[in-house]
Amino acid sequence: MNKEKKFTIAHQKAFLRQAYPNGHFYEETPSSFFWKYSVHPSPLSGTYQFKIHYREGKHVDVFAIDKLMLCEGKKKLPHVYNTDKQHLCIYHRPSEEWNASHKISEIVPWISEWFYYYENWLVTAKWLGGGIHGGKKE
């Protein structure tokens, strides 16, 4: 059993406010929230808006807000849970790379990195970001 101290929703919101003061909270309840922010993965990149949906003690769900293009010949986005919802796979849930004992603010750089590899995928048609998805290592 994991005995690490889990951060409360109030803590998670405070960490996000401190690290990313330009972020925007909405649809807040006592046990969940949505948070919107944008990243610019590299000097040559566009800006990508995303939203985080967090339910206290659960995994973080990350969704691209702007419609993402598909690379030529592909019918799905790479490294996502759902292409239509643009539900991004930011970390491997079963291995607990992130859990409620970590700060949500720590995964924002991972989200930026996901968009960086997405841009590479648009050009190469290969996911170069590594990771495990669908039970197999990418």
Side-chain angles (χ1 to χ4, degrees):
M1 182 169 157
N2 184 356
K3 295 189 181 202
E4 295 176 306
K5 180 179 175 5
K6 296 187 183 326
F7 290 116
T8 67
I9 199 157
H11 286 122
Q12 295 291 8
K13 288 168 69 174
F15 296 141
L16 283 166
R17 275 189 196 100
Q18 181 179 21
Y20 303 99
N22 294 330
H24 173 70
F25 288 97
Y26 64 102
E27 291 186 33
E28 299 177 66
T29 72
S31 62
S32 70
F33 63 80
F34 280 89
W35 182 73
K36 185 169 34 171
Y37 193 67
S38 59
V39 291
H40 188 79
S42 78
L44 301 175
S45 294
T47 299
Y48 295 94
Q49 288 188 36
F50 64 90
K51 64 183 175 182
I52 286 176
H53 182 212
Y54 181 64
R55 291 170 308 279
E56 192 163 35
K58 306 289 184 189
H59 287 286
V60 176
D61 291 310
V62 179
F63 302 88
I65 294 174
D66 303 310
K67 181 69 176 154
L68 299 176
M69 297 184 310
L70 296 178
C71 117
E72 190 173 329
K74 300 292 184 179
K75 295 184 182 191
K76 293 175 157 183
L77 290 168
H79 213 67
V80 296
Y81 294 110
N82 183 298
T83 290
D84 292 335
K85 293 180 180 179
Q86 300 188 137
H87 185 186
L88 312 183
C89 179
I90 302 301
Y91 60 91
H92 188 239
R93 291 177 179 203
S95 65
E96 298 265 328
E97 288 177 313
W98 187 93
N99 62 45
S101 67
H102 297 93
K103 298 175 183 178
I104 293 173
S105 58
E106 294 172 349
I107 70 166
V108 173
W110 302 354
I111 297 166
S112 184
E113 185 177 41
W114 187 98
F115 284 114
Y116 173 82
Y117 286 113
Y118 161 75
E119 288 182 338
N120 284 306
W121 173 80
L122 285 174
V123 174
T124 66
K126 293 181 184 164
W127 182 257
L128 302 174
I132 299 170
H133 196 75
K136 62 182 180 182
K137 189 170 178 134
E138 293 184 351

